[in-house]
Amino acid sequence: MPDAPPAPDGILLVDKPQGITSHTAVSRARRALGTRKVGHAGTLDPMATGLLILGVGPSTRLLTHMVGLDKTYTATIALGAATSTDDAEGDVTSTADASHLSGDDLAAPMARLTGDIEQVPSSVSAIKVDGERAYARVRAGEQVELRARPVTVARFEALAFRPGPLAEVDVVVDCSSGTYIRALARDLGAALGVGGHLTALRRTRIGPFDVEGAPIADALPEQGASALLLTPAEAASRILPVARLDDERAANLASGRRTVALEGEAGIVAAVHGDRLVGIARIDGRRMLPVTNFPTGAAAEAAR
């Protein structure tokens, strides 16, 4: 009887289309890869499109090190109406004629929303309030007021402006993890005195990972989907400095033991033996300490 193929292991980049949930995208990846062990490094709302990072098999352990990466979005903001959800899916709560606005009027308020700012998340965010998601409380009819949180918006720029009673502006945003683009749309509209909400959102980048070339999440091939995976070593080396291990250091780290750190190795590193990821490690002086282990393949052999 031929040997069973190895279980899939790696990082899958997919492009989520509009109208499906991130959970649906995960389910389709599970079906295409033939495994239940698929997780994500952050979701997108159903109305949003763009990059999802999925961890498959043992590489789900890498997701912890990816959730805090900075991100890039393109979006369209409607100026002249505020909504209950700060996006097009909510009820309109106020309107104002935005015909007097021009593209030049956007520069100052957008600049004030750039940099290290305090942002009040949308009330329909997934933030937990007394153990329950804020959006669930809002849907149950509760009034939810969330506290402002520090975020960093490195870039908030207008790409195109379309004037009118309900004006539209296309924007690009580079921001820290935890930034709500809906909240930027809301706050820009409020600063201009006309209200604003998000009508389109696309995530194009997470850290060093780009949506360009990523397969559409609902069109993953039934055969050969594993070939789309980034190997654990490749994915980890994109987000962390790499420490190259010899057999002895690999055996120690794969067994959960500390090992010697070499000169020049510092901070949190991807510990690699050959072409395999042994684990994520922390350098403490001359010691390398395991943070997250991947004792599989060649690394496991080295540990025996």
Side-chain angles (χ1 to χ4, degrees):
M1 180 179 293
D3 293 337
D9 178 19
I11 294 296
L12 179 63
L13 307 179
V14 297
D15 186 348
K16 188 190 85 67
Q18 190 173 35
I20 70 169
T21 65
S22 296
H23 178 73
T24 298
V26 169
S27 296
R28 291 175 181 176
R30 287 172 176 160
R31 185 167 61 248
L33 292 163
T35 179
R36 294 292 302 168
K37 196 167 185 181
V38 179
H40 61 77
T43 62
L44 286 169
D45 291 338
M47 72 163 279
T49 69
L51 184 60
L52 290 176
I53 296 180
L54 306 183
V56 181
S59 288
T60 54
R61 303 175 193 179
L62 276 176
L63 298 177
T64 299
H65 304 279
M66 296 180 174
V67 293
L69 296 174
D70 60 337
K71 301 170 176 65
T72 297
Y73 296 89
T74 56
T76 299
I77 298 171
L79 298 171
T83 72
S84 57
T85 57
D86 301 328
D87 62 25
E89 297 187 338
D91 297 327
V92 174
T93 57
S94 65
T95 60
D97 190 345
S99 298
H100 63 285
L101 294 178
S102 70
D104 292 340
D105 296 317
L106 306 180
M110 291 180 78
R112 290 194 293 272
L113 292 169
T114 303
D116 297 328
I117 63 173
E118 293 284 327
Q119 184 185 69
V120 177
S122 171
S123 62
V124 291
S125 70
I127 294 172
K128 286 189 175 181
V129 179
D130 295 330
E132 189 174 4
R133 302 291 184 186
Y135 62 73
R137 290 181 172 272
V138 170
R139 289 170 183 168
E142 293 185 36
Q143 287 287 113
V144 174
E145 293 186 6
L146 299 175
R147 295 178 180 176
R149 305 189 307 170
V151 299
T152 299
V153 179
R155 177 170 58 151
F156 185 23
E157 295 180 1
L159 301 176
F161 179 76
R162 294 177 289 279
L166 188 66
E168 288 188 325
V169 55
D170 298 331
V171 302
V172 60
V173 181
D174 292 334
C175 59
S176 62
S177 180
T179 303
Y180 286 87
I181 311 304
R182 283 178 296 171
L184 285 178
R186 175 200 66 206
D187 294 344
L188 177 61
L192 292 166
V194 296
H197 66 277
L198 198 66
T199 61
L201 181 65
R202 180 167 177 77
R203 186 159 65 196
T204 60
R205 181 188 63 85
I206 302 174
F209 304 103
D210 196 274
V211 73
E212 186 174 355
I216 304 297
D218 59 358
L220 291 170
E222 291 296 326
Q223 300 293 329
S226 291
L228 300 172
L229 296 175
L230 299 174
T231 67
E234 181 182 359
S237 66
R238 291 195 190 183
I239 61 174
L240 294 169
V242 174
R244 298 285 176 186
L245 306 186
D246 59 18
D247 290 349
E248 181 180 0
R249 294 208 297 162
N252 286 335
L253 207 67
S255 298
R257 301 191 300 268
R258 70 189 184 190
T259 191
V260 176
L262 303 183
E263 186 176 352
E265 295 175 343
I268 302 295
V269 300
V272 175
H273 177 256
D275 61 354
R276 298 296 184 108
L277 178 67
V278 180
I280 307 301
R282 176 174 59 86
I283 309 301
D284 180 9
R286 294 302 303 274
R287 300 181 303 170
M288 178 181 289
L289 309 174
V291 174
T292 306
N293 270 0
F294 290 80
T296 59
E301 292 296 325
R304 291 175 182 153

